[in-house]
């Protein structure tokens, strides 16, 4: 994985600092061209991996990238699924069967049959596989070497003790999409225990890692110990601690930690992209 990954929160009005900024971002990125412009600015500073949800508008972005393969040669996307709001809204509007008809890919009758059997037998793994296929439709023809399970699902299954579903996600994306599985979580140490127990060695885990312990279940000290003593490929997100840490101080802390393979951040301006990228490179050099 690349050292720096570019996220998508700013494109869909997700801001952990203020509602006012969220509204401003919603206006700024109301057109797909504004999203592409910001991605191109990130590429200008050497960021060639976009880690994003499966929001419906991402399909439009993928189409633009597919249609200009020369410009976007070497560009990668890390899909993060499922985008829970999409399904919640669809179920409200269309009902469960209508949602299945809208999002299940491929031969509708064969897929619905598989889905029906899954529901009747409570075979959640089969349902999960159908949903992965549905979510991946928009990324056809795009380089997606890592596919992530969103924390809302990862942590639900983790809390329920449904380890086999997490393990099967890892197996399925490898078998069907020749990709590695990544897991987003708010409890990195516990998830690592679960994945190792299931036979997954050196997993890719994306979690909140920051100086103030923001959204770090188990506490900052346990995370630091895990990074120093365990084997995993860690991706640090929410490094600003929800806006509680000055950017340069936040980046310095994360870059000083061992075993952080990648740092994920989102930004809505060229200046912020440049500043964050330069800070990461600066502290990486200092720590060599």
């Amino acid at each position: 994985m690349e050292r720096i990954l570019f996220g998508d929160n700013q494109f869909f009005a997700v801001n952990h600092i203020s509602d006012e900024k969220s509204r401003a971002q919603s206006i700024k990125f109301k057109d797909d061209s504004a999203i592409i412009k910001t991605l191109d600015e990130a590429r200008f500073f050497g960021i060639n991996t976009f880690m994003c949800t499966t929001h419906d508008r991402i399909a439009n972005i993928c189409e633009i990238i597919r249609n200009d393969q020369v410009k976007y040669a070497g560009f990668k996307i890390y899909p993060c699924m499922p985008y829970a709001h999409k399904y919640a809204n669809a179920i409200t509007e269309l009902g469960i069967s209508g949602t299945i008809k809208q999002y299940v890919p491929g031969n509708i009758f064969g897929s619905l049959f598989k889905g029906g059997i899954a529901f009747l037998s409570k075979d959640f793994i089969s349902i999960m596989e159908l949903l992965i296929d549905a979510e991946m439709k928009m990324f056809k023809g795009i380089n997606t070497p890592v596919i992530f399970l969103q924390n809302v699902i990862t942590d639900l299954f983790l809390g329920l003790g449904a380890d086999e579903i997490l393990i099967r996600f890892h197996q399925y994306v490898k078998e069907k999409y020749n990709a590695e599985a990544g897991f987003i979580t708010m409890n990195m140490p516990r998830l690592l225990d679960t994945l190792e127990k299931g036979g997954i060695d050196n997993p890719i885990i994306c979690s909140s890692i920051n100086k103030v312990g923001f959204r770090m279940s188990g506490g900052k000290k346990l995370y630091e110990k895990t990074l120093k003593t365990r084997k995993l490929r860690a991706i640090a997100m929410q490094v600003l601690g929800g806006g509680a840490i000055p950017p340069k101080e936040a980046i310095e802390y994360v870059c000083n930690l061992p075993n952080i393979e990648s740092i994920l951040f989102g930004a809505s301006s060229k200046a912020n992209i440049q500043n964050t990228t330069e800070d990461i490179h600066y502290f990486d050099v200092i720590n060599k």
Side-chain angles (χ1 to χ4, degrees), residues 10 34 44 64 70-72 94 113 130 177 182 220 235 239:
Q10 68 281 353
F44 178 81
I64 292 170
V70 174
K71 177 180 177 180
Y72 292 100
L94 306 172
F113 175 75
L130 280 176
Y177 297 99
K220 187 177 74 165
I235 299 173
V239 298

Side-chain angles (χ1 to χ4, degrees), residues 109-119 126-127 129-130 133 172:
F109 296 106
S111 296
L112 279 174
F113 175 75
K114 183 181 179 184
I117 294 297
F119 277 111
S126 293
I127 297 172
E129 292 172 359
L130 280 176
D133 292 343
Y172 189 71

Side-chain angles (χ1 to χ4, degrees), residues 2-276:
E2 292 186 346
R3 176 61 167 167
I4 305 175
L5 312 177
F6 197 68
D8 73 342
N9 275 352
Q10 68 281 353
F11 297 146
F12 306 120
V14 177
N15 190 290
H16 300 294
I17 299 174
S18 81
D19 290 338
E20 184 178 345
K21 288 186 177 181
S22 179
R23 286 191 292 271
Q25 289 170 345
S26 178
I27 294 169
K28 178 175 182 177
F29 294 111
K30 61 184 177 65
D31 296 324
D32 294 335
S33 59
I35 295 177
I36 287 293
K37 180 176 181 290
T38 303
L39 288 178
D40 287 344
E41 289 169 347
R43 291 174 56 248
F44 178 81
F45 293 109
I47 304 173
N48 287 300
T49 302
F50 179 39
M51 187 166 164
C52 62
T53 60
T54 54
H55 190 287
D56 286 337
R57 287 184 64 194
I58 292 295
N60 301 335
I61 304 305
C62 288
E63 186 66 18
I64 292 170
I65 292 171
R66 266 192 300 269
N67 289 336
D68 200 340
Q69 295 184 17
V70 174
K71 177 180 177 180
Y72 292 100
F75 190 72
K76 298 179 286 294
I77 292 182
Y78 291 174
C80 305
M81 60 185 64
Y83 187 67
H85 296 297
K86 174 170 66 179
Y87 292 105
N89 292 339
I91 288 172
T92 299
E93 295 176 10
L94 306 172
I96 293 176
S97 61
T99 299
I100 292 174
K101 290 177 182 177
Q102 176 162 329
Y103 288 108
V104 167
N107 182 292
I108 190 67
F109 296 106
S111 296
L112 279 174
F113 175 75
K114 183 181 179 184
I117 294 297
F119 277 111
L120 290 173
S121 65
K122 296 185 179 180
D123 184 353
F124 297 111
I125 289 178
S126 293
I127 297 172
M128 178 191 69
E129 292 172 359
L130 280 176
L131 291 177
I132 292 171
D133 292 343
E135 297 277 35
M136 288 300 295
K137 282 180 66 179
M138 70 176 72
F139 301 101
K140 185 176 181 180
I142 304 287
N143 187 10
T144 56
V146 185
I147 300 171
F148 284 85
L149 192 64
Q150 284 277 30
N151 61 282
V152 65
I153 300 299
T154 300
D155 291 341
L156 173 63
F157 291 145
L158 194 62
L160 292 173
D163 302 358
E164 70 280 3
I165 299 180
L166 298 175
I167 305 306
R168 182 55 189 159
F169 176 81
H170 178 273
Q171 295 169 340
Y172 189 71
V173 299
K174 183 177 182 180
E175 294 167 1
K176 182 72 179 284
Y177 297 99
N178 192 30
E180 291 198 79
F183 299 87
I184 305 174
T185 182
M186 297 299 166
N187 195 331
M188 181 184 73
R190 183 174 174 185
L191 177 63
L192 180 57
D193 289 340
T194 297
L195 297 179
E196 287 182 343
K197 183 181 176 182
I200 299 176
D201 182 54
N202 197 26
I204 299 171
I205 299 179
C206 178
S207 61
S208 299
I209 300 176
N210 52 75
K211 194 173 183 177
V212 297
F214 177 70
R215 292 184 175 174
M216 296 168 67
S217 296
K220 187 177 74 165
K221 288 185 178 179
L222 180 57
Y223 271 61
E224 291 174 347
K225 180 181 178 181
T226 300
L227 291 168
K228 289 176 183 176
T229 61
R230 307 282 296 276
K231 187 180 180 183
L232 75 156
R233 287 167 286 171
I235 299 173
M237 68 176 183
Q238 297 181 336
V239 298
L240 299 181
I245 317 167
K248 191 174 289 291
E249 181 181 338
I251 297 299
E252 181 179 17
Y253 170 77
V254 172
C255 289
N256 277 329
L257 292 172
N259 218 11
I260 302 289
E261 186 157 331
S262 302
I263 298 171
L264 169 68
F265 80 95
S268 56
S269 73
K270 186 175 182 178
N272 284 342
I273 296 171
Q274 180 177 6
N275 290 339
T276 303

